[in-house]
Amino acid sequence: MTKTSSKASVPLLIEGRNISAAYCGLLLHIADNPGVEVSPLVLTVDGFTADYSIPEDTAVRSTLDALLAKKGKTSVEDVAFTIFPEQLWIMSQGDRAKLFQFYRWSFPFYRARHKANSRGLYFERLTMFGSGPCDGNQLEWILSEWNKRDGVRDSMAQATTFDPARDHTASAQLKFPCLQHVSFVPTTTGLVVNAFYATQQIFDKAYGNYLGLAQLGAFMAHEMKMPLARLNVNVGVAKLERIGKTDSAMTPLMNAARACVAPPPSAGLVSTPTSLPAA
């Protein structure tokens, strides 16, 4: 491996009306251009609903999940869970204290379940960082500060997953954490979520990353009593690895991707169920 594998270039901007369309735009850019890498990438998604559900294209989601299963990779839902445990939030019935408690109880099981989780999970770092106010629960600190006073500085609502004490290591490969940082920006139209990745795997991680971040954003927006307006994802290096873009198994996914970006915004969309009430 050389020390200069990536190129310095103008960021690629991908815009999507939902996370499926944004993912498809990225996938098709890779398919239709030389190489398998985008560096850097700026991906932005809007079109979120008032009830905090996450619109998706069912054909894209099901086709991707089938391909992930065929290649022995983690499902979209399981990748998203590493960023936000949606099922625990549904079980908590809108009580975030219960959500955090359920997660603390369950985390040892989640970490032991997969070898890839041995160094931690993103929601664990966001809520059980190991230091800081609220016993290291960065999300609780942001929400409690936001809700107890009228004015807060824009830089207050940010949380980190990267910890130099644990993550500055000379290992040749380090699968976690690729997501470094998340910030939450309240605006007149709703909450904007900004996520920052050093690297991102397009095939087996990116869609789940976008879903988990959107679910995290919906949770934070609900607790801040505002709509979710936009998700911005900034990636230093996004790569299509662990599958070739000319692999025949990719054909159904590419077909679904082209269909997704072609129809009107309302065609073929469903929303991921949520337990959250409307704003």
Side-chain angles (χ1 to χ4, degrees):
M1 181 182 294
T2 65
K3 291 186 178 181
T4 55
S5 57
S6 300
K7 298 179 181 179
S9 58
V10 175
L12 172 68
L13 175 63
I14 299 288
E15 299 179 80
R17 61 183 180 269
N18 55 73
I19 60 171
S20 301
Y23 176 77
C24 290
L26 173 59
L27 192 65
L28 292 173
H29 174 86
I30 292 290
D32 297 340
N33 291 276
V36 293
E37 179 183 299
V38 175
S39 178
L41 167 69
V42 178
L43 184 141
T44 183
V45 185
D46 61 2
F48 297 107
T49 60
D51 65 354
Y52 300 107
S53 57
I54 311 301
E56 299 183 69
D57 185 294
T58 54
V60 172
R61 172 70 181 271
S62 61
T63 305
L64 175 58
D65 266 329
L67 181 55
L68 289 168
K70 182 177 181 178
K71 296 295 184 178
K73 304 301 181 183
T74 306
S75 70
V76 167
E77 182 177 0
D78 284 350
V79 172
F81 188 92
T82 65
I83 298 174
F84 186 75
E86 180 73 10
Q87 290 303 313
L88 293 184
W89 180 227
I90 293 172
M91 289 172 55
S92 302
Q93 299 182 326
D95 184 336
R96 74 171 186 262
K98 287 185 177 179
L99 167 65
F100 297 143
Q101 184 179 59
F102 289 163
Y103 191 81
R104 285 194 299 271
W105 289 343
S106 306
F107 173 69
F109 166 76
Y110 299 136
R111 180 165 56 183
R113 186 180 176 187
H114 296 294
K115 186 181 297 185
N117 297 337
S118 61
R119 301 191 69 255
L121 296 170
Y122 293 116
F123 196 72
E124 174 241 345
R125 291 282 180 98
L126 293 172
T127 61
M128 302 159 58
F129 191 79
S131 62
C134 296
D135 293 325
N137 189 333
Q138 300 175 81
L139 302 184
E140 177 58 34
W141 186 83
I142 291 169
L143 293 171
S144 60
E145 290 296 311
W146 169 262
N147 290 322
K148 77 181 182 184
R149 49 197 172 116
D150 292 333
V152 296
R153 68 182 190 276
D154 288 341
S155 63
M156 188 200 74
Q158 56 181 316
T160 187
T161 59
F162 183 85
D163 180 5
R166 289 176 279 185
D167 303 323
H168 271 160
T169 169
S171 299
Q173 292 186 331
L174 200 65
K175 295 182 179 181
F176 176 90
C178 294
L179 172 63
Q180 309 288 295
H181 190 84
V182 184
S183 72
F184 307 95
V185 182
T187 72
T188 55
T189 57
L191 187 67
V192 175
V193 180
N194 301 296
F196 304 86
Y197 281 82
T199 62
Q200 187 175 69
Q201 295 292 333
I202 295 173
F203 167 55
D204 51 338
K205 300 294 183 182
Y207 194 110
N209 292 163
Y210 306 152
L211 178 59
L213 288 167
Q215 291 172 338
L216 174 63
F219 163 72
M220 294 296 285
H222 175 266
E223 295 301 284
M224 297 169 80
K225 300 178 175 59
M226 65 178 67
L228 174 60
R230 182 172 293 276
L231 168 64
N232 298 314
V233 183
N234 300 270
V235 184
V237 182
K239 299 179 180 180
L240 183 70
E241 294 184 322
R242 305 187 180 106
I243 191 170
K245 66 180 182 180
T246 59
D247 188 325
S248 60
M250 286 281 281
T251 301
L253 179 59
M254 291 299 185
N255 291 339
R258 295 193 189 280
C260 175
V261 299
S266 60
L269 292 180
V270 297
S271 294
T272 302
T274 177
S275 64
L276 302 180

